[in-house]
Amino acid sequence: MQEILRHPSAKEYFRPRRLGRECLSDSVRIQLAERLQNNDPLAHVRQCLESTSHAQTAERIVEEIVTDFAERAPESHFDGKFTFLVTPYDLVTPAGVSLAQTYENGVKAAELDGIKYGVDRALALRAQLPYILDWANSDSEAQLVFFSLCPSREELDTETARRLAFKPERQMSSNWLFEKTEGVITMRAFSFDGHTMSRHQLLLQELGLPDVAESTLEEVSAPYLLMFDDADYAVETIRARFDDADEFFGIASYEQRRSSSNEVVLRADDAIDLYVATVSAVAKSLVKGKVTRELRTITKRLQSGFGGYGSPVGVLNARLHSAFEISDAEQLMNYLRSQALPHYIYSSNSSMSIESSGADAISTARSYEGACPTSDRQRAQTLDTEKSMLAYYLFGMRPKREKEFHSGYCPCCL
């Protein structure tokens, strides 16, 4: 975690005082209380409002947003590490996040979404916990690994798979390897491209493991034990058995793809700092029910990327002290998470700023979706006909319709 937290300015945005949900208006408080959705764009804002330890909250938000942006990479693998403390009935992060509660919330959110396969998948993930706890509280020195593959077309139609944030075009899997290290549990989360059931069967044979389950749904809750010196060597061995000669984590192996997307995100200090600053400013604006000076400074900066014109992202045009509601907060956080910041982080144009990146993402109808199923299907008011027309008038050109990026199932959160 210390590696991630090399953004000291992040803590400056969380003053040593509690904003408090009791300060919110009744309508906003009720809306927040009733929210239980996958990939909630206001999750970090809510953490900020409920925080009693502001430094810890800042650390947690930075850690989570690095993972979130890493999972939005268009052509790269993710590879991250997470730490848990062991209790008799749960695994808990140093920031106090319960794995059992995370699984449970995932099931409830999936039930509200109403997609049967999504519910079944959430239940299969929840079924991992007893295995993890039995292993964590045993004397076993082996590593524990789960493989979560993207369902094939025979198991789930492509459109539903995309709605649940799988990535059928890449057949990308999410894989989780747990290791006992110095009194804690370390989880290594990593992805593979082209991870089909047939290829997975070959991988299991190479590793000397039992045969693959009958479906990816069953496979996601099937634990395997490995015995290597450490998790790094275990993952390297799994990768070596999986990759062909011209691949790196299943992706065509040219040099730019050898860096994990986590490493790429960590180099974008300015993007991470802007995100954390916006979380704080949005929380304070919700408390006051209006656009604060702190928030207007941020939105005015983002608006500048549109060359002095009004932005198609309406909240960027809001004046100082104008009304600020939940819908405004959602639009702003979605714009940062799915367009402005990931487009900046993954752009090949080194001269592109965050402001111009956001405008370019709008003009090209580019959206970088995360690796969580998303309850709100109107993410950032999806840029179809209305946004394309706005981009035409703003930029004097018809926007290019680029292929939308669809990610795989989330390896770290529900």
mmCIF file of all heavy atoms in Angstrom, residues 266-306:
data_model
loop_
_atom_site.group_PDB
_atom_site.id
_atom_site.type_symbol
_atom_site.label_atom_id
_atom_site.label_comp_id
_atom_site.label_asym_id
_atom_site.label_seq_id
_atom_site.Cartn_x
_atom_site.Cartn_y
_atom_site.Cartn_z
ATOM 1 N N LEU A 266 -0.346 4.055 -11.932
ATOM 2 C CA LEU A 266 0.437 4.623 -10.834
ATOM 3 C C LEU A 266 1.376 5.736 -11.283
ATOM 4 O O LEU A 266 1.769 6.580 -10.480
ATOM 5 C CB LEU A 266 1.242 3.520 -10.138
ATOM 6 C CG LEU A 266 0.455 2.658 -9.151
ATOM 7 C CD1 LEU A 266 1.271 1.447 -8.727
ATOM 8 C CD2 LEU A 266 0.074 3.490 -7.923
ATOM 9 N N ARG A 267 1.707 5.757 -12.563
ATOM 10 C CA ARG A 267 2.568 6.827 -13.071
ATOM 11 C C ARG A 267 1.780 8.109 -13.342
ATOM 12 O O ARG A 267 2.368 9.161 -13.556
ATOM 13 C CB ARG A 267 3.280 6.364 -14.350
ATOM 14 C CG ARG A 267 4.311 5.265 -14.112
ATOM 15 C CD ARG A 267 5.231 5.096 -15.310
ATOM 16 N NE ARG A 267 4.582 4.454 -16.434
ATOM 17 C CZ ARG A 267 4.624 3.147 -16.684
ATOM 18 N NH1 ARG A 267 5.265 2.342 -15.867
ATOM 19 N NH2 ARG A 267 4.028 2.643 -17.759
ATOM 20 N N ALA A 268 0.452 8.021 -13.336
ATOM 21 C CA ALA A 268 -0.395 9.181 -13.631
ATOM 22 C C ALA A 268 -0.820 9.863 -12.338
ATOM 23 O O ALA A 268 -2.001 9.913 -11.982
ATOM 24 C CB ALA A 268 -1.614 8.748 -14.447
ATOM 25 N N ASP A 269 0.149 10.408 -11.609
ATOM 26 C CA ASP A 269 -0.128 11.057 -10.326
ATOM 27 C C ASP A 269 -1.183 12.151 -10.446
ATOM 28 O O ASP A 269 -2.051 12.298 -9.573
ATOM 29 C CB ASP A 269 1.160 11.687 -9.768
ATOM 30 C CG ASP A 269 2.180 10.657 -9.350
ATOM 31 O OD1 ASP A 269 2.112 9.525 -9.864
ATOM 32 O OD2 ASP A 269 3.034 10.974 -8.520
ATOM 33 N N ASP A 270 -1.099 12.953 -11.514
ATOM 34 C CA ASP A 270 -2.011 14.087 -11.640
ATOM 35 C C ASP A 270 -3.455 13.628 -11.813
ATOM 36 O O ASP A 270 -4.383 14.257 -11.292
ATOM 37 C CB ASP A 270 -1.596 14.986 -12.803
ATOM 38 C CG ASP A 270 -1.323 14.216 -14.093
ATOM 39 O OD1 ASP A 270 -1.266 12.973 -14.060
ATOM 40 O OD2 ASP A 270 -1.149 14.871 -15.142
ATOM 41 N N ALA A 271 -3.659 12.516 -12.511
ATOM 42 C CA ALA A 271 -5.018 11.996 -12.693
ATOM 43 C C ALA A 271 -5.581 11.488 -11.375
ATOM 44 O O ALA A 271 -6.755 11.730 -11.048
ATOM 45 C CB ALA A 271 -5.020 10.883 -13.734
ATOM 46 N N ILE A 272 -4.759 10.786 -10.592
ATOM 47 C CA ILE A 272 -5.209 10.266 -9.304
ATOM 48 C C ILE A 272 -5.526 11.411 -8.354
ATOM 49 O O ILE A 272 -6.551 11.413 -7.652
ATOM 50 C CB ILE A 272 -4.142 9.339 -8.695
ATOM 51 C CG1 ILE A 272 -3.954 8.110 -9.585
ATOM 52 C CG2 ILE A 272 -4.528 8.912 -7.285
ATOM 53 C CD1 ILE A 272 -2.810 7.217 -9.181
ATOM 54 N N ASP A 273 -4.655 12.416 -8.315
ATOM 55 C CA ASP A 273 -4.888 13.561 -7.428
ATOM 56 C C ASP A 273 -6.164 14.310 -7.794
ATOM 57 O O ASP A 273 -6.921 14.741 -6.924
ATOM 58 C CB ASP A 273 -3.692 14.517 -7.474
ATOM 59 C CG ASP A 273 -2.487 13.978 -6.704
ATOM 60 O OD1 ASP A 273 -2.666 13.042 -5.916
ATOM 61 O OD2 ASP A 273 -1.374 14.499 -6.906
ATOM 62 N N LEU A 274 -6.410 14.478 -9.101
ATOM 63 C CA LEU A 274 -7.623 15.174 -9.522
ATOM 64 C C LEU A 274 -8.864 14.378 -9.113
ATOM 65 O O LEU A 274 -9.857 14.957 -8.671
ATOM 66 C CB LEU A 274 -7.622 15.399 -11.031
ATOM 67 C CG LEU A 274 -8.881 16.070 -11.594
ATOM 68 C CD1 LEU A 274 -9.087 17.454 -10.984
ATOM 69 C CD2 LEU A 274 -8.823 16.156 -13.117
ATOM 70 N N TYR A 275 -8.803 13.072 -9.255
ATOM 71 C CA TYR A 275 -9.949 12.247 -8.873
ATOM 72 C C TYR A 275 -10.249 12.402 -7.380
ATOM 73 O O TYR A 275 -11.397 12.608 -6.980
ATOM 74 C CB TYR A 275 -9.687 10.777 -9.195
ATOM 75 C CG TYR A 275 -10.831 9.884 -8.783
ATOM 76 C CD1 TYR A 275 -11.932 9.707 -9.613
ATOM 77 C CD2 TYR A 275 -10.831 9.244 -7.544
ATOM 78 C CE1 TYR A 275 -13.000 8.915 -9.229
ATOM 79 C CE2 TYR A 275 -11.890 8.453 -7.150
ATOM 80 C CZ TYR A 275 -12.979 8.298 -8.000
ATOM 81 O OH TYR A 275 -14.040 7.514 -7.587
ATOM 82 N N VAL A 276 -9.217 12.290 -6.545
ATOM 83 C CA VAL A 276 -9.418 12.389 -5.093
ATOM 84 C C VAL A 276 -9.937 13.772 -4.713
ATOM 85 O O VAL A 276 -10.831 13.917 -3.872
ATOM 86 C CB VAL A 276 -8.110 12.068 -4.344
ATOM 87 C CG1 VAL A 276 -8.292 12.246 -2.848
ATOM 88 C CG2 VAL A 276 -7.667 10.648 -4.641
ATOM 89 N N ALA A 277 -9.394 14.815 -5.350
ATOM 90 C CA ALA A 277 -9.861 16.171 -5.075
ATOM 91 C C ALA A 277 -11.333 16.330 -5.450
ATOM 92 O O ALA A 277 -12.104 16.989 -4.748
ATOM 93 C CB ALA A 277 -9.013 17.178 -5.845
ATOM 94 N N THR A 278 -11.730 15.703 -6.550
ATOM 95 C CA THR A 278 -13.120 15.806 -6.998
ATOM 96 C C THR A 278 -14.051 15.077 -6.038
ATOM 97 O O THR A 278 -15.162 15.552 -5.743
ATOM 98 C CB THR A 278 -13.280 15.237 -8.415
ATOM 99 O OG1 THR A 278 -12.362 15.902 -9.290
ATOM 100 C CG2 THR A 278 -14.695 15.443 -8.932
ATOM 101 N N VAL A 279 -13.632 13.916 -5.528
ATOM 102 C CA VAL A 279 -14.442 13.187 -4.540
ATOM 103 C C VAL A 279 -14.740 14.086 -3.347
ATOM 104 O O VAL A 279 -15.888 14.205 -2.894
ATOM 105 C CB VAL A 279 -13.718 11.910 -4.075
ATOM 106 C CG1 VAL A 279 -14.400 11.321 -2.839
ATOM 107 C CG2 VAL A 279 -13.690 10.875 -5.190
ATOM 108 N N SER A 280 -13.716 14.737 -2.832
ATOM 109 C CA SER A 280 -13.891 15.631 -1.683
ATOM 110 C C SER A 280 -14.799 16.809 -2.020
ATOM 111 O O SER A 280 -15.704 17.158 -1.256
ATOM 112 C CB SER A 280 -12.525 16.140 -1.224
ATOM 113 O OG SER A 280 -12.663 17.081 -0.183
ATOM 114 N N ALA A 281 -14.579 17.416 -3.178
ATOM 115 C CA ALA A 281 -15.373 18.586 -3.566
ATOM 116 C C ALA A 281 -16.838 18.214 -3.808
ATOM 117 O O ALA A 281 -17.749 18.973 -3.451
ATOM 118 C CB ALA A 281 -14.779 19.221 -4.817
ATOM 119 N N VAL A 282 -17.082 17.051 -4.403
ATOM 120 C CA VAL A 282 -18.451 16.599 -4.639
ATOM 121 C C VAL A 282 -19.157 16.334 -3.309
ATOM 122 O O VAL A 282 -20.322 16.705 -3.126
ATOM 123 C CB VAL A 282 -18.455 15.332 -5.524
ATOM 124 C CG1 VAL A 282 -19.813 14.632 -5.485
ATOM 125 C CG2 VAL A 282 -18.097 15.696 -6.956
ATOM 126 N N ALA A 283 -18.462 15.700 -2.375
ATOM 127 C CA ALA A 283 -19.060 15.427 -1.064
ATOM 128 C C ALA A 283 -19.466 16.728 -0.371
ATOM 129 O O ALA A 283 -20.572 16.850 0.165
ATOM 130 C CB ALA A 283 -18.073 14.647 -0.197
ATOM 131 N N LYS A 284 -18.603 17.719 -0.390
ATOM 132 C CA LYS A 284 -18.912 18.996 0.257
ATOM 133 C C LYS A 284 -20.042 19.728 -0.456
ATOM 134 O O LYS A 284 -20.869 20.394 0.187
ATOM 135 C CB LYS A 284 -17.650 19.861 0.296
ATOM 136 C CG LYS A 284 -16.560 19.297 1.213
ATOM 137 C CD LYS A 284 -15.241 20.050 1.066
ATOM 138 C CE LYS A 284 -14.160 19.404 1.915
ATOM 139 N NZ LYS A 284 -12.830 20.030 1.725
ATOM 140 N N SER A 285 -20.099 19.593 -1.774
ATOM 141 C CA SER A 285 -21.175 20.245 -2.526
ATOM 142 C C SER A 285 -22.521 19.578 -2.255
ATOM 143 O O SER A 285 -23.560 20.249 -2.223
ATOM 144 C CB SER A 285 -20.866 20.220 -4.024
ATOM 145 O OG SER A 285 -19.725 21.018 -4.311
ATOM 146 N N LEU A 286 -22.533 18.266 -2.065
ATOM 147 C CA LEU A 286 -23.772 17.584 -1.715
ATOM 148 C C LEU A 286 -24.266 18.005 -0.334
ATOM 149 O O LEU A 286 -25.465 18.144 -0.110
ATOM 150 C CB LEU A 286 -23.571 16.060 -1.758
ATOM 151 C CG LEU A 286 -23.522 15.415 -3.144
ATOM 152 C CD1 LEU A 286 -23.216 13.928 -3.024
ATOM 153 C CD2 LEU A 286 -24.837 15.624 -3.887
ATOM 154 N N VAL A 287 -23.330 18.191 0.576
ATOM 155 C CA VAL A 287 -23.708 18.661 1.920
ATOM 156 C C VAL A 287 -24.373 20.027 1.834
ATOM 157 O O VAL A 287 -25.400 20.287 2.466
ATOM 158 C CB VAL A 287 -22.476 18.706 2.850
ATOM 159 C CG1 VAL A 287 -22.808 19.467 4.138
ATOM 160 C CG2 VAL A 287 -22.023 17.294 3.189
ATOM 161 N N LYS A 288 -23.810 20.914 1.038
ATOM 162 C CA LYS A 288 -24.339 22.277 0.927
ATOM 163 C C LYS A 288 -25.501 22.378 -0.060
ATOM 164 O O LYS A 288 -26.247 23.371 -0.051
ATOM 165 C CB LYS A 288 -23.219 23.234 0.499
ATOM 166 C CG LYS A 288 -22.133 23.403 1.554
ATOM 167 C CD LYS A 288 -21.088 24.394 1.110
ATOM 168 C CE LYS A 288 -20.016 24.595 2.177
ATOM 169 N NZ LYS A 288 -20.567 25.184 3.416
ATOM 170 N N GLY A 289 -25.626 21.361 -0.942
ATOM 171 C CA GLY A 289 -26.691 21.388 -1.928
ATOM 172 C C GLY A 289 -26.452 22.365 -3.057
ATOM 173 O O GLY A 289 -27.377 22.734 -3.789
ATOM 174 N N LYS A 290 -25.216 22.791 -3.230
ATOM 175 C CA LYS A 290 -24.883 23.736 -4.296
ATOM 176 C C LYS A 290 -23.431 23.564 -4.701
ATOM 177 O O LYS A 290 -22.625 22.975 -3.965
ATOM 178 C CB LYS A 290 -25.144 25.164 -3.845
ATOM 179 C CG LYS A 290 -24.321 25.603 -2.648
ATOM 180 C CD LYS A 290 -24.691 27.010 -2.211
ATOM 181 C CE LYS A 290 -23.857 27.458 -1.011
ATOM 182 N NZ LYS A 290 -24.224 28.826 -0.579
ATOM 183 N N VAL A 291 -23.088 24.107 -5.847
ATOM 184 C CA VAL A 291 -21.720 24.029 -6.356
ATOM 185 C C VAL A 291 -20.829 24.941 -5.518
ATOM 186 O O VAL A 291 -21.021 26.163 -5.493
ATOM 187 C CB VAL A 291 -21.648 24.437 -7.842
ATOM 188 C CG1 VAL A 291 -20.197 24.460 -8.324
ATOM 189 C CG2 VAL A 291 -22.485 23.495 -8.695
ATOM 190 N N THR A 292 -19.873 24.349 -4.820
ATOM 191 C CA THR A 292 -18.954 25.138 -4.002
ATOM 192 C C THR A 292 -17.841 25.717 -4.879
ATOM 193 O O THR A 292 -17.650 25.308 -6.025
ATOM 194 C CB THR A 292 -18.321 24.272 -2.909
ATOM 195 O OG1 THR A 292 -17.567 23.218 -3.544
ATOM 196 C CG2 THR A 292 -19.386 23.666 -2.002
ATOM 197 N N ARG A 293 -17.114 26.645 -4.315
ATOM 198 C CA ARG A 293 -16.004 27.241 -5.053
ATOM 199 C C ARG A 293 -14.956 26.179 -5.394
ATOM 200 O O ARG A 293 -14.362 26.188 -6.482
ATOM 201 C CB ARG A 293 -15.373 28.373 -4.229
ATOM 202 C CG ARG A 293 -14.358 29.209 -5.009
ATOM 203 C CD ARG A 293 -13.942 30.413 -4.185
ATOM 204 N NE ARG A 293 -15.066 31.264 -3.862
ATOM 205 C CZ ARG A 293 -15.608 32.160 -4.679
ATOM 206 N NH1 ARG A 293 -15.115 32.298 -5.907
ATOM 207 N NH2 ARG A 293 -16.633 32.897 -4.288
ATOM 208 N N GLU A 294 -14.739 25.249 -4.464
ATOM 209 C CA GLU A 294 -13.768 24.173 -4.688
ATOM 210 C C GLU A 294 -14.180 23.313 -5.886
ATOM 211 O O GLU A 294 -13.355 22.993 -6.748
ATOM 212 C CB GLU A 294 -13.686 23.299 -3.427
ATOM 213 C CG GLU A 294 -12.728 22.132 -3.531
ATOM 214 C CD GLU A 294 -12.721 21.292 -2.261
ATOM 215 O OE1 GLU A 294 -13.467 21.625 -1.313
ATOM 216 O OE2 GLU A 294 -11.977 20.302 -2.218
ATOM 217 N N LEU A 295 -15.460 22.968 -5.964
ATOM 218 C CA LEU A 295 -15.925 22.144 -7.074
ATOM 219 C C LEU A 295 -15.921 22.930 -8.380
ATOM 220 O O LEU A 295 -15.556 22.398 -9.436
ATOM 221 C CB LEU A 295 -17.331 21.615 -6.787
ATOM 222 C CG LEU A 295 -17.924 20.709 -7.879
ATOM 223 C CD1 LEU A 295 -17.068 19.465 -8.068
ATOM 224 C CD2 LEU A 295 -19.355 20.317 -7.542
ATOM 225 N N ARG A 296 -16.319 24.192 -8.331
ATOM 226 C CA ARG A 296 -16.358 24.993 -9.553
ATOM 227 C C ARG A 296 -14.966 25.170 -10.142
ATOM 228 O O ARG A 296 -14.793 25.204 -11.372
ATOM 229 C CB ARG A 296 -16.993 26.359 -9.289
ATOM 230 C CG ARG A 296 -17.122 27.234 -10.536
ATOM 231 C CD ARG A 296 -17.841 26.503 -11.649
ATOM 232 N NE ARG A 296 -17.841 27.239 -12.922
ATOM 233 C CZ ARG A 296 -17.871 26.679 -14.108
ATOM 234 N NH1 ARG A 296 -17.904 25.358 -14.225
ATOM 235 N NH2 ARG A 296 -17.867 27.420 -15.201
ATOM 236 N N THR A 297 -13.946 25.251 -9.302
ATOM 237 C CA THR A 297 -12.571 25.339 -9.799
ATOM 238 C C THR A 297 -12.230 24.104 -10.637
ATOM 239 O O THR A 297 -11.596 24.206 -11.690
ATOM 240 C CB THR A 297 -11.586 25.459 -8.626
ATOM 241 O OG1 THR A 297 -11.864 26.666 -7.896
ATOM 242 C CG2 THR A 297 -10.150 25.493 -9.120
ATOM 243 N N ILE A 298 -12.683 22.949 -10.170
ATOM 244 C CA ILE A 298 -12.410 21.702 -10.882
ATOM 245 C C ILE A 298 -13.212 21.622 -12.174
ATOM 246 O O ILE A 298 -12.671 21.319 -13.244
ATOM 247 C CB ILE A 298 -12.728 20.492 -9.978
ATOM 248 C CG1 ILE A 298 -11.745 20.453 -8.799
ATOM 249 C CG2 ILE A 298 -12.673 19.188 -10.776
ATOM 250 C CD1 ILE A 298 -12.092 19.428 -7.735
ATOM 251 N N THR A 299 -14.519 21.884 -12.100
ATOM 252 C CA THR A 299 -15.357 21.750 -13.300
ATOM 253 C C THR A 299 -14.996 22.792 -14.357
ATOM 254 O O THR A 299 -15.054 22.522 -15.557
ATOM 255 C CB THR A 299 -16.842 21.872 -12.942
ATOM 256 O OG1 THR A 299 -17.092 23.123 -12.271
ATOM 257 C CG2 THR A 299 -17.270 20.718 -12.043
ATOM 258 N N LYS A 300 -14.600 23.984 -13.920
ATOM 259 C CA LYS A 300 -14.188 25.021 -14.872
ATOM 260 C C LYS A 300 -12.923 24.601 -15.602
ATOM 261 O O LYS A 300 -12.769 24.833 -16.810
ATOM 262 C CB LYS A 300 -13.974 26.348 -14.144
ATOM 263 C CG LYS A 300 -13.746 27.533 -15.076
ATOM 264 C CD LYS A 300 -13.677 28.830 -14.281
ATOM 265 C CE LYS A 300 -13.492 30.027 -15.200
ATOM 266 N NZ LYS A 300 -13.431 31.300 -14.412
ATOM 267 N N ARG A 301 -12.018 23.960 -14.869
ATOM 268 C CA ARG A 301 -10.793 23.449 -15.485
ATOM 269 C C ARG A 301 -11.133 22.388 -16.531
ATOM 270 O O ARG A 301 -10.608 22.410 -17.651
ATOM 271 C CB ARG A 301 -9.879 22.854 -14.418
ATOM 272 C CG ARG A 301 -8.686 22.106 -14.993
ATOM 273 C CD ARG A 301 -7.912 21.359 -13.923
ATOM 274 N NE ARG A 301 -6.941 20.456 -14.525
ATOM 275 C CZ ARG A 301 -6.187 19.592 -13.837
ATOM 276 N NH1 ARG A 301 -6.292 19.525 -12.516
ATOM 277 N NH2 ARG A 301 -5.347 18.803 -14.463
ATOM 278 N N LEU A 302 -12.028 21.452 -16.189
ATOM 279 C CA LEU A 302 -12.409 20.406 -17.127
ATOM 280 C C LEU A 302 -13.151 20.977 -18.327
ATOM 281 O O LEU A 302 -12.995 20.514 -19.458
ATOM 282 C CB LEU A 302 -13.271 19.361 -16.416
ATOM 283 C CG LEU A 302 -12.568 18.531 -15.332
ATOM 284 C CD1 LEU A 302 -13.584 17.708 -14.544
ATOM 285 C CD2 LEU A 302 -11.507 17.620 -15.944
ATOM 286 N N GLN A 303 -13.959 22.014 -18.084
ATOM 287 C CA GLN A 303 -14.719 22.647 -19.155
ATOM 288 C C GLN A 303 -13.800 23.322 -20.163
ATOM 289 O O GLN A 303 -14.112 23.414 -21.361
ATOM 290 C CB GLN A 303 -15.686 23.667 -18.554
ATOM 291 C CG GLN A 303 -16.619 24.325 -19.561
ATOM 292 C CD GLN A 303 -17.410 25.452 -18.923
ATOM 293 O OE1 GLN A 303 -16.898 26.156 -18.056
ATOM 294 N NE2 GLN A 303 -18.653 25.618 -19.344
ATOM 295 N N SER A 304 -12.634 23.770 -19.707
ATOM 296 C CA SER A 304 -11.720 24.505 -20.585
ATOM 297 C C SER A 304 -11.233 23.660 -21.753
ATOM 298 O O SER A 304 -10.806 24.188 -22.781
ATOM 299 C CB SER A 304 -10.513 25.012 -19.784
ATOM 300 O OG SER A 304 -9.688 23.923 -19.366
ATOM 301 N N GLY A 305 -11.299 22.343 -21.618
ATOM 302 C CA GLY A 305 -10.857 21.475 -22.700
ATOM 303 C C GLY A 305 -11.740 21.547 -23.929
ATOM 304 O O GLY A 305 -11.347 21.085 -25.008
ATOM 305 N N PHE A 306 -12.927 22.139 -23.777
ATOM 306 C CA PHE A 306 -13.858 22.251 -24.896
ATOM 307 C C PHE A 306 -13.703 23.572 -25.639
ATOM 308 O O PHE A 306 -14.589 23.998 -26.361
ATOM 309 C CB PHE A 306 -15.295 22.066 -24.399
ATOM 310 C CG PHE A 306 -15.566 20.682 -23.880
ATOM 311 C CD1 PHE A 306 -15.309 20.363 -22.554
ATOM 312 C CD2 PHE A 306 -16.032 19.692 -24.717
ATOM 313 C CE1 PHE A 306 -15.525 19.090 -22.072
ATOM 314 C CE2 PHE A 306 -16.254 18.408 -24.246
ATOM 315 C CZ PHE A 306 -16.002 18.099 -22.923
#
